[in-house]
Amino acid sequence: MNKRVYNFSAGPSMLPVAVLERAAAEMTNANGTGQSVMEMSHRSKDFKPIIDHAEAMLRELMEIPGNYKVLFLQGGASLQFPMIPLNLAVREDGKKQKVTYVDTGVWASKAAEEASKYAEVRVAASSKDKAYSYIPEAPAPDTEDVYYHITWNNTIVGTKWNKIPNTGSVPLVADISSCILSEPLDVSKFALLYAGAQKNLGPAGVTVVIIREDLIKKVPDWIPTMLRYEIHAKEGSMYNTPPCYGIYIIGLVLDWMKEQGGLAEIERRNREKATLLYDYLDQSKLFRSPIRKEDRSLMNIPFVIGNADLEAQFVKEAAASGLVNLAGHRLVGGMRASIYNAMPKEGVLALIDFMKQFEAAHRS
Ligand SMILES: *Cc1c(COP(=O)(O)O)cnc(C)c1O
């Protein structure tokens, strides 16, 4: 293959070509330093502006209030599953504290399961009864909850929350790995937001944590230093070597977003792309979306035919046409098109075109 494909992978996923080209141009000599960002000491005067820029751009585009810290960590979103309860719910006397989770899919249930090692987890609602095809009504928090956790966009099944649950004074925590900066989100309504970078922000290896300062507290001594928000916040994400190159690419991706017209324009494009695909699915005689209309994700769009052989053939033929990674998650089957910020409208139109041809050939 000597041209770029439209990559519908759920993550790692497409990055804007302009970002890749800029990174290539700066590969051996970044900002006139005579070195690659990969070669810089993280404590040098050359790297400092790079991490500061990434943070400043994130603050600007997400409108992050001043009383929140932005951390660039490692270990993926999956390491936040235990870090959140370890930092917010563990007490010196060892008594397990109450937390609430809403189970909207595989990642949400993994987060709850991991938390149950350190906290008294109540799974207050679940959409497992209908294969996670909808977002349940958010139950009220328990008055004793130390936090309340949701997964804003459910990458595998393709649902998303449309309303921020009202948890009163209970801190609201959300996994936004697969939807960060896809549309505006009122950060001030959340106590903690986290996202692995490899879906909408940059390469794998960086996790962004946005945490309200009053939640950053000293934790019991047995909790490993590397797992403490307090340490990472105090050290400006430089307690140890941060994922320098990934942070640099995040800065470039955020520059690109701003050049495109900022989050409002990115949201407009995302809605346009998703609407094109859902509208086609809703009138198709071959394909359909299994997801309740009002809960559909803008980023991850699963669809099915209901015939595993035909679905496998679709995925294979699509790949041969330069539309790659359309197989659904191994746990759910079918197909899934992940159309993150970097997926151009042309990619979605090419997919719909291909689906129309496939439908014409296989409609009985
Ligand atoms: C991909 C994903 C994860 C896991 O991310 P890792 O960085 O691989 O640990 C967790 N939550 C959601 C919503 C995801 O999409």
Side-chain angles (χ1 to χ4, degrees):
M1 185 111 10
N2 56 11
K3 69 177 184 75
R4 279 183 61 83
V5 293
Y6 291 121
N7 178 9
F8 295 90
S9 165
S13 39
M14 286 182 84
L15 287 167
V17 178
V19 167
L20 298 174
E21 284 173 348
R22 184 167 158 202
E26 295 177 356
M27 179 58 78
T28 58
N29 186 353
N31 305 326
T33 60
Q35 47 188 317
S36 161
V37 175
M38 267 182 258
E39 302 167 299
M40 288 175 185
S41 160
H42 59 293
R43 306 213 184 266
S44 65
K45 65 173 181 2
D46 298 322
F47 185 68
K48 180 86 168 72
I50 293 175
I51 189 167
D52 288 350
H53 177 69
E55 175 173 344
M57 288 300 294
L58 196 69
R59 286 187 178 277
E60 180 181 328
L61 288 166
M62 288 184 76
E63 299 181 23
I64 300 172
N67 61 327
Y68 286 71
K69 287 271 192 255
V70 172
L71 309 177
F72 295 104
L73 307 180
Q74 302 194 53
S78 300
L79 190 59
Q80 293 310 306
F81 297 167
M83 267 181 88
I84 290 161
L86 282 169
N87 283 273
L88 306 189
V90 168
R91 277 198 340 200
E92 205 62 67
D93 64 7
K95 184 177 182 306
K96 279 194 172 180
Q97 309 221 75
K98 289 187 177 171
V99 297
T100 287
Y101 278 70
V102 180
D103 174 26
T104 51
V106 173
W107 294 119
S109 67
K110 277 194 175 162
E113 197 183 304
E114 199 66 14
S116 67
K117 297 177 183 175
Y118 312 105
E120 194 183 317
V121 172
R122 173 181 73 122
V123 176
S126 172
S127 50
K128 199 173 181 179
D129 59 332
K130 289 187 183 149
Y132 294 123
S133 61
Y134 68 101
I135 297 286
E137 205 55 49
D142 187 301
T143 49
E144 287 172 37
D145 276 343
V146 294
Y147 67 84
Y148 187 111
H149 181 283
I150 62 170
T151 307
W152 189 263
N153 183 78
N154 295 276
T155 324
I156 294 174
V157 286
T159 59
K160 85 168 171 102
W161 289 78
N162 283 305
K163 212 168 67 207
I164 300 175
N166 181 359
T167 57
S169 61
V170 173
L172 179 60
V173 174
D175 181 350
I176 54 169
S177 290
S178 49
C179 58
I180 186 168
L181 285 169
S182 60
E183 60 181 335
L185 190 64
D186 183 352
V187 175
S188 72
K189 296 281 197 301
F190 297 86
L192 191 159
L193 292 164
Y194 64 102
Q198 70 273 22
K199 282 141 190 170
N200 232 351
L201 274 188
V206 196
T207 309
V208 171
V209 173
I210 300 161
I211 180 171
R212 213 173 60 211
E213 276 166 354
D214 60 284
L215 291 171
I216 304 176
K217 286 177 293 216
K218 203 168 154 17
V219 295
D221 284 343
W222 62 268
I223 294 173
T225 311
M226 275 294 286
L227 301 186
R228 299 169 181 226
Y229 293 135
E230 174 210 355
I231 296 290
H232 292 294
K234 196 170 80 194
E235 302 290 338
S237 303
M238 296 259 203
Y239 169 72
N240 72 327
T241 318
C244 303
Y245 198 76
I247 292 168
Y248 156 74
I249 298 288
I250 289 178
L252 300 193
V253 169
L254 299 177
D255 284 345
W256 172 83
M257 282 187 65
K258 190 173 174 178
E259 283 159 25
Q260 302 306 300
L263 193 49
E265 171 62 13
I266 295 287
E267 178 194 27
R268 188 197 66 74
R269 292 182 194 177
N270 286 335
R271 289 196 183 282
E272 183 183 23
K273 289 183 290 178
T275 302
L276 282 166
L277 190 46
Y278 284 123
D279 282 353
Y280 167 68
L281 286 169
D282 287 341
Q283 59 75 53
S284 170
K285 302 277 184 300
L286 186 69
F287 302 100
R288 69 181 178 83
S289 160
I291 304 305
R292 184 164 80 180
K293 271 195 179 148
E294 56 270 37
D295 300 329
R296 289 173 172 179
S297 168
L298 290 178
M299 299 279 97
N300 312 100
I301 304 189
F303 51 96
V304 297
I305 297 175
N307 170 336
D309 291 339
L310 210 49
E311 287 171 348
Q313 187 185 340
F314 174 85
V315 169
K316 195 166 154 232
E317 289 179 10
S321 302
L323 307 167
V324 306
N325 291 319
L326 279 164
H329 190 275
R330 61 196 154 79
L331 295 174
V332 300
M335 281 77 70
R336 173 181 51 174
S338 293
I339 52 172
Y340 297 115
N341 293 348
M343 172 63 69
K345 179 178 166 185
E346 292 71 34
V348 175
L349 291 173
L351 172 62
I352 294 169
D353 250 14
F354 181 82
M355 291 170 78
K356 283 181 179 163
Q357 287 170 37
F358 195 88
E359 177 168 350
H362 297 280
R363 190 173 41 201
S364 44

